[in-house]
Amino acid sequence: MRNRGKAATVVAAAAALVLLAGCTPRDVETSPTGDETSAPIELVDALPAGTTEVDEVTWALVEGEPRSLVPGADYNFVQPNLCASLLRVQPDFTVEAGIAETADWVDPVTFVIDIRPGVTFWDGTPVTPQDVVYSLERHHSDVTSAFYGAFVLVAPEGGIEVTGENQVTVHFVAPDSTFRDAIAGGAGAVLSRAVGEAQGPALGTSGGELMCAGPYELESWTPGSEIVTVANEDYWDGAPLVKKLTYRFISDGTTLTNALLEGEVDGAFNVAPGSRSAFESSDTGRLVIGPSTASFSFGPTRDTGAGANPLIRQALSLAIDRQQYISTVLHGLGQPQSTFVAPFSWSGSSAADVYQAGYDALAAPEVDLDAAKKLVEESGEDTSVPLRLAIPAGSKELSQTAAIVQSAAGQIGLTIEIDERQPADFAAIFLPDPGPRENIDFVATTGYTETPGVLAYPQLFLLPAEMGGIFNWTGYSNPDVTAGLEAARTTPDATGAAEAYVGAQEIFAPDLLQVTLAGSYHTTFLSDELSGVVTSVAAYSSPWAQHLGGK
């Protein structure tokens, strides 16, 4: 799970600790808008590949300036175009070959990676098995890496080793149904061992160097201003059509909207839903809506107080009109979601039918004020004590979210106070120290998973802390849920893993460790002169600009 907000970068990093979890024209699918009076939205996961070369494209980063370009140290849309991974997440959330020609299980606890011959880093040096071992060990041996959780079942000694001229083998202490998907994202990105060891802590920072094997190479980084990348003409899968891709840091939504509409920048992801009408009426670019795993939600922050009581969470859920929420906050660019794992998460799985059937069996969100009031009464909580909901300062969508939750609470006899926190203070909520959470009952966030799989969110909130439940602040404990999630990870058979997960989901979904308000779509604005970008949530983990070019 990742959090989009700059203020909550810590959430993204922590969540990834247990993330188990070439652009071509794609078929379009339709999805509801969340507004029953509107026509279904066409969801596009990738635009047709560009056909002509372009000297330079300017791309805006609404998330702001990255802290690092090293996979596992930060999350941004720059890194996937720089550091190619062993496997690649496709726009439709399937997984295909990347730097690895093949990468798969040869038995339940042995994973073999065969490196594609002839792949080179930007400086022309070959990608070797030693580089792959170095890159994977960065996460396996470093608990601070955002991808550490993907390697927890790798054998602690000799778990990752060179076993051939172009081969690396990974040994596990137990089967891991999530590992292959994980290395299709940042967990499988390959860095130069020589440059990495020489750079040390400076690796991938604005003052250091980076050496990867992606379609673009880093040319310069001007702190506070821009990052400039240039096409890797020797990229194994073909040189990009855009010869210079410059990233500008524009975190203010209004400023970004104006820059896009006036042609000052050519494109951006995660553009503000509030600007939907302006984007759709533009005569210089177009808004593209893609499938996503992202969702808006709020959840409890401690094991005491009314927020820790599942009856209170269930009551609040019943008091919130999801259709109104999607219309008001997302301007129709989303859909109701029955639990905190979005259906797109399993869309590329061979067991997708099992996951979907389990999801469809869940109770859909509904509004029932009478039932909500009854739950409040049954909870035994003192309703004269206000509940505090924390949000990050400057987030229009989460500010609107808090107002809607506050209004709904008032209709069922509860009082919500909104606690707006500055970036550092908001980020501190998600650190191990419980201090910043002691005087709040809920925190509102928006997050996503960037590689296929269903276990990221549940493990964070449902497992014991010592097993990776770093956001299990209520002390939630259900042996059947724990056993089901463990079985879902360690069952090699895809159908068996899906059945184990669905069984656990049936139990934990009603407990609402996160009250999911809506799934949100992936939004992209792009100049009419360009095409070829990935427009689904896969842009977070794949070389989304590889096929960007002129129309």
Side-chain angles (χ1 to χ4, degrees), residues 313-377:
R313 300 195 297 271
Q314 292 164 7
L316 286 170
S317 180
L318 286 168
I320 297 170
D321 186 333
R322 265 57 169 197
Q323 300 293 346
Q324 179 194 38
Y325 180 89
I326 293 168
S327 176
T328 303
V329 179
L330 300 181
H331 292 260
L333 300 180
Q335 60 184 334
Q337 192 169 300
S338 298
T339 185
F340 47 9
V341 179
F344 193 59
S345 303
W346 60 74
S347 59
S349 170
S350 60
D353 289 347
V354 177
Y355 287 114
Q356 190 63 48
Y359 179 84
D360 291 342
L362 297 175
E366 62 177 349
V367 180
D368 189 334
L369 295 181
D370 290 336
K373 292 175 183 177
K374 184 177 180 180
L375 287 171
V376 171
E377 293 177 3

Side-chain angles (χ1 to χ4, degrees), residues 180-389:
R180 190 173 189 273
D181 288 338
I183 63 168
V190 180
L191 284 67
S192 164
R193 175 183 176 183
V195 172
E197 291 179 343
Q199 286 290 301
L203 180 69
T205 66
S206 59
E209 297 179 9
L210 183 68
M211 186 60 63
C212 289
Y216 282 87
E217 58 183 284
L218 180 64
E219 181 177 87
S220 64
W221 182 346
T222 304
S225 178
E226 64 181 21
I227 292 173
V228 179
T229 65
V230 294
N232 174 8
E233 299 295 339
D234 296 319
Y235 183 55
W236 70 269
D237 201 23
L241 291 171
V242 174
K243 299 309 171 184
K244 178 183 287 188
L245 182 55
T246 300
Y247 301 88
R248 289 178 53 194
F249 319 133
I250 308 178
S251 56
D252 179 77
T254 300
T255 301
L256 174 60
T257 296
N258 291 335
L260 289 166
L261 294 176
E262 294 170 10
E264 295 176 6
V265 295
D266 300 300
F269 296 125
N270 292 332
V271 294
S275 297
R276 177 182 180 180
S277 61
F279 288 138
E280 290 180 337
S281 62
S282 170
D283 56 6
T284 59
R286 73 276 200 197
L287 178 67
V288 184
I289 310 302
S292 181
T293 60
S295 63
F296 284 76
S297 64
F298 69 93
T301 57
R302 52 196 173 101
D303 60 3
T304 58
N309 190 324
L311 297 181
I312 293 295
R313 300 195 297 271
Q314 292 164 7
L316 286 170
S317 180
L318 286 168
I320 297 170
D321 186 333
R322 265 57 169 197
Q323 300 293 346
Q324 179 194 38
Y325 180 89
I326 293 168
S327 176
T328 303
V329 179
L330 300 181
H331 292 260
L333 300 180
Q335 60 184 334
Q337 192 169 300
S338 298
T339 185
F340 47 9
V341 179
F344 193 59
S345 303
W346 60 74
S347 59
S349 170
S350 60
D353 289 347
V354 177
Y355 287 114
Q356 190 63 48
Y359 179 84
D360 291 342
L362 297 175
E366 62 177 349
V367 180
D368 189 334
L369 295 181
D370 290 336
K373 292 175 183 177
K374 184 177 180 180
L375 287 171
V376 171
E377 293 177 3
E378 293 175 356
S379 73
E381 299 293 338
D382 183 354
T383 57
S384 67
V385 178
L387 298 169
R388 296 181 66 83
L389 171 64

Side-chain angles (χ1 to χ4, degrees), residues 169-188:
T169 298
V170 185
H171 303 280
F172 288 74
V173 297
D176 190 343
S177 66
T178 67
F179 184 74
R180 190 173 189 273
D181 288 338
I183 63 168

Side-chain angles (χ1 to χ4, degrees), residues 64-83:
E65 183 170 8
R67 293 175 302 164
S68 172
L69 298 178
V70 175
D74 195 12
Y75 308 96
N76 52 75
F77 288 112
V78 184
Q79 179 269 315
N81 288 324
L82 298 176
C83 299

